[in-house]
Amino acid sequence: MANAIDTISQTVGSQTVGSKTMGSKTMGSKTTDPATTSPATADAMHDRHGRRIDYLRISVTDRCDLRCRYCMSETMQFLPRREILTLEEIAIIAARFIARGVRRIRLSGGEPLVRRDFVDLARTLGRHVTSGALDELTLTTNGTQLARHAQMLADIGMRRINVSLDALDPAIFAHITRGGDVAQVLEGLEAARTAGLKVKLNTVALRGVNQDQLLPLLHYCEDRGFDLTLIETMPLGQIEQARADQYLPLSEAIEPIRAAYDFTPLDYRTGGPARYFALSGLKTRLGLITPLSENFCAGCNRMRLTCQGRIYMCLGHEAHVDLKAAFRERGVAGIDALLDRALATKPLAHDFSVARGASPATQRHMNVTGG
Ligand code: SAM
């Protein structure tokens, strides 16, 4: 059944989206589809370093129902609603990115599943997968709302999701998330499995907090046919604890896993920055994301759209272009001009440092840019 976002995309088509009625069902009148219209149709995007950019991450909200200590400060200020792109705007902007060569989209946040009517956006974007315009639509979620949404995600054409889970132990989970209930996430994971979604767990390694959880998490994944990716904590935004105290290089974090299993590097890739390994005797693939200890920017294919309508070409830099204003004034033409400008600003690499006393790489926290 058509939802409000579809109705807009179909009736508007939307070379004229810049009209004042943005977000209503009466926007514009032309019927050109932004996902298939020139000038840039089929032109792959490349940055000035020659990297092909075909992966878009969208932060659909900066709000979240957890407060992970490494992600947010205890007193996070969230963006006022009027500053946030409507879901209709996100759908139209995403369609234009697809026309410019984006082949994969990951929905993130904040917690995407807490945004009201998220299902409408997911369904609309899912149609780009069905039509072949997009190779893949995926989601990163904390899993707390997954029990309610897993079947819907499978129904709209999502094949795999990432679920963030830093501990199985209820007390450690509650500590990291400042009050979260791990049982909700585990229930969500079962629902995802039942719905036939391919699941990868994302676990941030935190010194002195969850290193002893990594083997149990690996075995949990093995029992359920999930993959597991470990991530080094990045210095994004000010938090209460010193990043230097939290930071655990993955070479050290995986010591207990190395002691139990042989590692064999795999060619397997999911479009993201993880390098994967097979572990002797296990089906679960182990991914490692090492933004600090082993920079992977040379192969970066990503751009990010925030819920306030900014394009960031790098998670670790402040440089951005403000798409929202241009889009609301000039419609799809405004997107194209700014996309070109954004491509020209993509830095070669982030330069994260967690040295004691170092400032965060960015003022904004991960929930704003989308993980
Ligand atoms: N709420 C969703 C979730 O929890 O998966 C999506 C947003 S969350 C910001 C995306 C991912 O970023 C999570 O896996 C989270 O653990 C990770 N993350 C957040 N802050 C981080 C940081 N400073 N360094 C490394 N990973 C971080």
Side-chain angles (χ1 to χ4, degrees), residues 63-66 68 70-72 107-112 139-143 162-166 202-204 231-237 239 243 246 291 315 365-368 370-371:
R63 289 163 198 255
C64 189
D65 52 349
L66 299 179
C68 298
Y70 55 87
C71 182
M72 296 187 181
L107 300 174
S108 184
E111 174 47 42
L139 172 80
T140 303
T141 173
N142 64 25
N162 289 355
V163 180
S164 305
L165 180 60
D166 300 321
N202 278 347
T203 302
V204 176
I231 306 172
E232 289 175 346
T233 179
M234 292 173 269
L236 303 171
I239 53 168
R243 295 278 183 190
Q246 281 185 339
L315 189 59
H365 295 80
M366 184 78 144
N367 63 306
V368 174

Side-chain angles (χ1 to χ4, degrees), residues 249-365:
L250 290 193
S251 54
E252 193 180 331
I254 60 172
E255 277 167 12
I257 303 178
R258 265 200 194 288
Y261 302 100
D262 293 331
F263 280 51
T264 307
L266 295 173
D267 286 336
Y268 177 71
R269 290 278 179 279
T270 59
R275 288 171 298 125
Y276 286 91
F277 295 85
L279 305 179
S280 48
L282 299 189
K283 291 187 295 305
T284 293
R285 286 174 288 227
L286 181 69
L288 302 180
I289 301 184
T290 52
L292 282 105
S293 65
E294 223 174 309
N295 182 288
F296 46 69
C297 299
C300 185
N301 56 352
R302 290 179 289 290
M303 61 197 322
R304 295 163 194 272
L305 174 69
T306 70
C307 57
Q308 74 208 110
R310 294 178 174 178
I311 307 175
Y312 284 92
M313 298 302 293
C314 177
L315 189 59
H317 282 259
E318 299 288 12
H320 64 273
V321 297
D322 187 355
L323 202 59
K324 186 177 64 188
F327 177 59
R328 287 182 179 175
E329 275 167 31
R330 300 183 50 216
V332 177
I335 303 179
D336 277 326
L338 283 188
L339 255 182
D340 292 335
R341 201 188 309 160
L343 283 170
T345 66
K346 187 166 171 71
L348 195 52
H350 60 65
D351 37 24
F352 291 143
S353 165
V354 286
R356 204 163 293 283
S359 307
T362 60
Q363 289 304 308
R364 66 186 191 284
H365 295 80

